Amino acid sequence: EAQVTQNPRYLITVTGKKLTVTCSQNMNHEYMSWYRQDPGLGLRQIYYSMNVEVTDKGDVPEGYKVSRKEKRNFPLILESPSPNQTSLYFCASSLLGGGKGRNEQFFGPGTRLTVL
Amino acid sequence: GENVEQHPSTLSVQEGDSAVIKCTYSDSASNYFPWYKQELGKRPQLIIDIRSNVGEKKDQRIAVTLNKTAKHFSLHITETQPEDSAVYFCAGTGSYIPTFGRGTSLIVHP
């Protein structure tokens, strides 16, 4: 089954404790990205990747890191989480990076993160 | 980068009424305009999309219209049902990076 998976689905942690949220897709998509969703603010892009070893900042990258060592995986790293990073996080992937032809974004199930 | 504005932020209708959600975009290079539906507690999923060489596209009770000159596109839902209650997002695709609107919370009252 074609899908995007994320782990963990729920996470409660404390300020400063490093964490990683994994994202994996099995559709051979070049483009992957991370979003955070907060009430009234919609989906804000954190980082994106056009292909292996190619990553770039989105609209709200501060406090986050990513890596793209393999095509299927795109982990989100919070080196020192803070309470303002409490949010719902979505990973997404697509076949072609933006604008070129049909570019349906496939979203993972989401990770609800709480930083105390 | 692309600027996408979506209105209204909340839309409340009676079952059976029509609903219209509008988006404007800034990048004239955008050529693909999707709409996503996010039900409560779930992930956003594509429900309909349109390319820039088409003015309108329909799929049963939903339709999307595009006005490239004015740089806006709209989602139309006819004969709304309670299961249409959700948050709807539009997206622009200029500069190869999709930019989402802030979302519209549609509430359909039985």
Side-chain angles (χ1 to χ4, degrees), chain A residues 39-58:
Chain A
L41 299 178
L43 294 163
R44 294 183 294 169
Q45 191 174 56
I46 303 170
Y47 269 94
Y48 65 92
S49 170
M50 299 290 279
N51 214 323
V52 175
E53 301 292 1
V54 180
T55 63
D56 211 341
K57 296 177 181 179

Side-chain angles (χ1 to χ4, degrees), chain B residues 4 13 16 20 22-23 26 28 31 36 56-57 59 62 79 83-85 96-98 101 104:
Chain B
V4 177
V13 301
V20 180
K22 299 180 179 180
C23 279
S26 61
S28 56
N31 61 5
Y36 291 81
E56 182 177 3
K57 182 177 178 180
D59 183 3
I62 61 174
E79 300 173 23
E83 53 264 38
D84 295 328
S85 294
Y96 304 108
I97 308 300
T104 297

Side-chain angles (χ1 to χ4, degrees), chain A residues 18-69:
Chain A
K18 181 179 178 180
L19 66 92
T20 299
V21 184
T22 64
C23 173
S24 183
Q25 50 92 8
N26 62 359
M27 295 170 279
N28 202 36
H29 287 169
E30 297 95 347
Y31 184 84
M32 297 186 75
S33 61
W34 277 101
Y35 297 90
R36 61 178 288 174
Q37 185 175 22
D38 303 289
L41 299 178
L43 294 163
R44 294 183 294 169
Q45 191 174 56
I46 303 170
Y47 269 94
Y48 65 92
S49 170
M50 299 290 279
N51 214 323
V52 175
E53 301 292 1
V54 180
T55 63
D56 211 341
K57 296 177 181 179
D59 298 319
V60 288
E62 292 78 19
Y64 305 94
K65 286 175 56 177
V66 293
S67 68
R68 188 91 182 272
K69 292 182 170 55

Side-chain angles (χ1 to χ4, degrees), chain A residues 4 31 35 37 40-43 45 48 50 88 90 97-105 107-109, chain B residues 31-32 34 36 38 41-46 49 51 57 87 89 93 96-103:
Chain A
V4 179
Y31 184 84
Y35 297 90
Q37 185 175 22
L41 299 178
L43 294 163
Q45 191 174 56
Y48 65 92
M50 299 290 279
L88 178 60
F90 285 102
K100 299 179 185 178
R102 198 164 184 267
N103 181 35
E104 177 180 358
Q105 298 292 307
F107 287 86
Chain B
N31 61 5
Y32 172 69
Y36 291 81
Q38 184 182 25
K42 298 191 176 181
R43 72 192 82 185
Q45 290 189 294
L46 181 74
D49 55 14
R51 291 199 190 184
K57 182 177 178 180
V87 177
F89 293 98
T93 54
Y96 304 108
I97 308 300
T99 301
F100 288 88
R102 290 195 171 192

